[in-house]
Amino acid sequence: MGVSMTDVIVVGGGPTGLMLACELRLHGVRVVVLEKLTEPTGESRGQGLHARSVEIMDQRGLLDRFLAVSEKFSVGGLFGGIVKPWPDRLDTGHPYGVATPQPVTERLLGERAVELGAEIRRGREVVGLSQDAAGVTAELADGTRLRSRYLVGCDGGRSVVRKSLGVGFPGEPATVETLLGEMAVTEDPATIAAVVEDVRRTQLRFGLSPGENGTYRVVVPADGVAEDRATPPTLDDFKRQLRAVAGTDFGVHSPRWLSRFGDATRQAERYRVDRVLLAGDAAHIHPPTGGQGLNLGVQDAFNLGWKLAAAVNGWAPEGLLDSYHVERHPVGARVLDNTRAQITLLGTDPGATALRELFSTLMDFEEVNRYVTEMITAVGIRYDFGDDHELVGRRMRDVKLTQGHLYGLMHGGRGLLLDLTGKLSVAGWTDRVDHVVDVGEEAELDVPAALLRPDGHVAWVGDDQQELLGRLPKWFGPAR
């Protein structure tokens, strides 16, 4: 019996997998998302989008959908429990985050993926895979097999895809664990707020905050690390730990969902093995301090999508698909390191308390606050393209143009030559790169022209056509 072939199988229908499906469909790639859960969990681990992810959603025309159901926030720092005002002059046109519960993010990205023609199959658990020179075979729990030209594991920290590849996942195991859930409480809000304020003076891994429909989001340190991390905690576990830490269980009842997370910190040694790639938690796990996990995964997908589409569509220059690992592995490593630092700052011993006070004082300096905020929000990321110009390798912020805003011109996921000279050309690449001549007075750009990759990172700046012709093939393949 023949096995039908598709272009890309995405294993896992969380934010990373759904973002990747959207990006692939912009380029006409046939994509099937396999998600083992029959229904969304309703668990809201990720609590929103940082500035860099907000930019990404705007660049693809999705930001209005998020703003319609979310609140903006602009608290800076958010580092190791230290909160500072938002610093001035961040390199972004969107100096704010968006507080969106993870189930809402998944719903919005899922709706967009389906609009674009992605196929999402729920209740489809991948249990193994094999690959050859022509493609990848995914083995499902029901015994069926699916073939694709490429496969991407977006299937979380316990990734079956990563394990099937035999890719190493070095790092540190969990040493502490935290219970997280959403539930009703009988205690009055004023008392809850007072107790939380008192406990958080010494225990920053504790909190109760109002959630949806009158419930509370409850975070409390667990009693050690569970032997079976996959088993959710019970309501009694929450009551016991709340009493131990806060002296009261607040009358918690009627849980909507209960879960646990640890401080394990691990990163896949390779993000690509031939035709199989890893993204999101399948590639890296770390504590949720600073709210970076969901954002890191979505940004992985944004980096990978256009490159994988180029490979499928036959125009990827040599090394383009490998540049996904080259660019994103160091970014993941830096997030792992900053969460390690934050876990230290969140400690309750005298040394950690003293370190947190010192760090808080340092963050009163504008430059330190900006550095930390750009690190947490990923606005500070710059890929090394071997060019000394300060813009090259960074993402272009949403500059104003005579004909509107830059990101409004990038919804289709193509490259873009932003040209203030009116003298340059992308002839031979017009099927992959848009050419926008903007010679009006409104333009904010302070370089003569900039070549942007589909993910918004600047690949070249200048005004010389021969230089441009030398750079276009590196990212967009040969002229046609």
Side-chain angles (χ1 to χ4, degrees):
M1 187 180 76
V3 179
S4 63
M5 186 86 156
T6 191
D7 289 328
V8 178
I9 291 172
V10 175
V11 182
T16 300
L18 294 170
M19 187 78 219
L20 180 60
C22 290
E23 287 296 289
L24 292 169
R25 283 303 305 153
L26 287 177
H27 300 277
V29 173
R30 294 172 301 162
V31 58
V32 176
V33 179
L34 302 177
E35 167 54 57
K36 69 178 180 181
L37 298 177
T38 54
E39 295 292 333
T41 64
E43 288 190 18
S44 187
R45 288 173 171 249
Q47 283 294 286
L49 305 177
H50 281 313
R52 172 76 2 127
S53 299
V54 172
E55 290 181 350
I56 283 171
M57 297 310 167
D58 192 25
Q59 200 171 326
R60 292 297 183 261
L62 294 172
L63 183 55
D64 286 348
R65 301 187 191 199
F66 280 86
L67 293 178
V69 294
S70 313
E71 296 293 324
K72 291 182 180 180
F73 67 86
S74 56
V75 55
L78 288 174
F79 191 86
I82 299 165
V83 177
K84 297 290 179 180
W86 197 278
D88 293 330
R89 304 187 313 278
L90 277 188
D91 185 23
T92 176
H94 297 281
Y96 57 87
V98 174
T100 313
Q102 185 167 330
V104 178
T105 296
E106 290 182 7
R107 176 175 62 79
L108 294 174
L109 291 176
E111 288 170 357
R112 180 57 175 156
V114 171
E115 281 172 23
L116 290 168
E119 189 180 344
I120 300 174
R121 300 182 191 173
R122 289 194 161 274
R124 297 288 187 271
E125 182 179 2
V126 173
V127 295
L129 59 89
S130 58
Q131 62 174 319
D132 52 46
V136 189
T137 302
E139 302 162 21
L140 277 60
D142 62 7
T144 58
R145 294 189 302 168
L146 277 176
R147 281 281 284 176
S148 60
R149 295 172 64 186
Y150 293 90
L151 182 145
V152 186
C154 304
D155 53 339
R158 301 183 183 93
S159 171
V160 170
V161 174
R162 187 189 65 244
K163 291 171 183 174
S164 297
L165 290 173
V167 169
F169 203 42
E172 306 90 55
T175 57
V176 297
E177 199 164 88
T178 307
L179 306 183
L180 171 66
E182 204 172 307
M183 58 203 75
V185 299
T186 53
E187 190 59 83
D188 70 276
T191 302
I192 292 171
V195 173
V196 168
E197 183 180 7
D198 184 54
V199 174
R200 280 184 61 83
R201 288 197 179 104
T202 54
Q203 179 49 272
L204 288 165
R205 289 169 48 225
F206 169 84
L208 275 77
S209 54
E212 297 178 5
N213 305 321
T215 62
Y216 271 75
R217 181 181 173 90
V218 178
V219 187
V220 63
D223 180 19
V225 178
E227 284 186 33
D228 183 2
R229 299 288 312 287
T231 305
T234 64
L235 185 63
D236 282 342
D237 291 333
F238 273 82
K239 289 181 176 179
R240 186 168 58 251
Q241 291 309 112
L242 286 168
R243 286 194 292 267
V245 173
T248 172
D249 64 14
F250 302 96
V252 293
H253 65 94
S254 309
R256 291 181 67 182
W257 55 270
L258 305 172
S259 68
R260 64 176 92 239
F261 63 86
D263 64 338
T265 308
R266 297 184 181 277
Q267 185 176 24
E269 289 177 331
R270 302 168 66 187
Y271 283 14
R272 179 190 178 196
V273 179
D274 300 324
R275 291 178 173 272
V276 183
L277 301 104
L278 301 170
D281 289 355
H284 38 70
I285 58 169
H286 54 84
T289 43
Q292 299 167 94
L294 185 153
N295 291 273
L296 184 60
V298 165
Q299 291 159 30
D300 283 347
F302 204 63
N303 183 285
L304 174 59
W306 68 278
K307 297 173 180 177
L308 186 53
V312 170
N313 290 328
W315 60 259
E318 187 176 351
L320 183 67
L321 201 47
D322 283 328
S323 74
Y324 166 62
H325 171 95
V326 170
E327 292 171 4
R328 295 304 296 173
H329 194 276
V331 170
R334 287 197 294 272
V335 171
L336 264 60
D337 275 347
N338 86 50
T339 58
R340 287 181 177 107
Q342 290 185 75
I343 286 294
T344 302
L345 289 172
L346 289 170
T348 55
D349 60 279
T353 302
L355 187 62
R356 192 163 60 245
E357 288 175 3
L358 172 61
F359 207 89
S360 180
T361 302
L362 290 174
M363 284 184 63
D364 288 331
F365 290 92
E366 175 83 5
E367 287 301 309
V368 177
N369 189 15
R370 182 180 305 107
Y371 178 85
V372 172
T373 303
E374 288 193 347
M375 178 171 62
I376 291 289
T377 60
V379 166
I381 288 172
R382 181 187 180 194
Y383 301 137
D384 182 4
F385 294 166
D387 188 311
D388 291 337
H389 194 285
E390 61 179 5
L391 261 184
V392 174
R394 290 186 68 90
R395 257 179 63 90
M396 179 75 75
R397 70 182 186 279
D398 187 24
V399 294
K400 286 180 187 169
L401 306 171
T402 310
Q403 46 197 293
H405 283 256
L406 173 64
Y407 290 174
L409 304 176
M410 300 192 76
H411 293 178
R414 292 155 54 86
L416 180 75
L417 176 65
L418 190 53
D419 179 8
L420 271 61
T421 73
K423 299 172 183 174
L424 298 171
S425 170
V426 292
W429 287 272
T430 53
D431 57 328
R432 288 151 282 171
V433 182
D434 293 326
H435 183 192
V436 175
V437 177
D438 199 272
V439 291
E441 297 295 316
E442 301 296 316
E444 285 184 338
L445 200 63
D446 46 11
V447 291
L451 177 65
L452 307 187
R453 307 192 314 184
D455 60 0
H457 283 266
V458 180
W460 171 83
V461 297
D463 58 6
D464 185 285
Q465 180 67 33
Q466 289 308 117
E467 273 187 26
L468 175 61
L469 290 174
R471 196 57 58 93
L472 280 163
K474 176 181 177 181
W475 299 110
F476 298 103
R480 286 179 176 171

